[in-house]
Amino acid sequence: MVIDKPGYEHLIQFLTEHLALFTATGPAADSGKTIGVLLEEKIAEQIIALCTQHTELETNHRSLIIREVDGIMYDFQEILSSVLDKPATQPQQDLIYEIALLIKNLFDNAIAALFD
């Protein structure tokens, strides 16, 4: 659905281009959450919004989305493995939110193509 598309490759490239942000130190964001927890929460929020917005999705589509999100989480956890347990700074939190929105956008586009 999205993992095998060029948009996902661009997303991974975007993340790797911003890896320095995750190695930078600074004060933890007010949430006090770790990078790993924020990544999981923000992506989950966007996928829930996606499924809520696209009422035309059938169970098999939702299952495919969940499998792909698992793959995305695996990739991101591999890339960020050395910093997942560190408290997120505000810039890291902002980037994680942006990435979660980009992931939702990839799925929005895939769903639109699916029903065209």
Side-chain angles (χ1 to χ4, degrees), residues 81-101:
S81 62
S82 64
V83 297
L84 288 175
D85 295 327
K86 294 184 178 180
T89 64
Q90 189 60 50
Q92 292 165 343
Q93 189 171 312
D94 294 343
L95 183 63
I96 289 168
Y97 183 66
E98 183 176 351
I99 288 170
L101 289 173

Side-chain angles (χ1 to χ4, degrees), residues 1 50-67 111 114-115:
M1 184 172 250
L50 176 88
C51 290
T52 302
Q53 291 169 352
H54 293 281
T55 56
E56 72 276 17
L57 290 173
E58 297 174 8
T59 302
N60 62 326
H61 297 130
R62 293 173 195 268
S63 295
L64 178 59
I65 290 168
I66 297 304
R67 281 194 303 275
I111 290 167
L114 186 66
F115 291 106

